[in-house]
Amino acid sequence: LQLDADGMLQVPIYRRVRREGCPLLQHSWERKWMEVLHHCCTHPQDALTVTQHSDRTALHLATFTHPCPLTVAEALLSANRHLVLVQ
């Protein structure tokens, strides 16, 4: 997390794309967990991407209809520490 000069939390600007335009979003939607884990390691900046029409992050897509594996949720949260996880 980054703070500005006044000590305020800097909220990142999310990039809006079609789901098919971002591999992390697409892999999350398709529940391809190994690809999600790999992409979080190689392209963590893609965690700051949301779907164009619904503003859903990869974590939203990964948990949209069913729970995702804990390792996947942890990888997505690690890549984007601005996400909030509630039970």
Side-chain angles (χ1 to χ4, degrees), residues 6 8-9 13-14 17 22 24 27 29 47 51 54 57-58 73 87:
D6 297 324
M8 299 295 291
L9 181 65
I13 296 174
Y14 285 80
V17 299
C22 175
L24 183 59
H27 293 324
W29 179 251
T51 56
S54 61
T57 65
Q87 183 174 0

Side-chain angles (χ1 to χ4, degrees), residues 48-79:
L48 295 175
T49 304
V50 294
T51 56
Q52 185 174 4
H53 298 290
S54 61
D55 288 332
R56 290 191 169 102
T57 65
L59 183 60
H60 288 120
L61 297 176
T63 58
F64 192 67
T65 56
H66 296 83
C68 67
L70 182 58
T71 55
V72 171
E74 289 173 337
L76 291 167
L77 288 165
S78 178

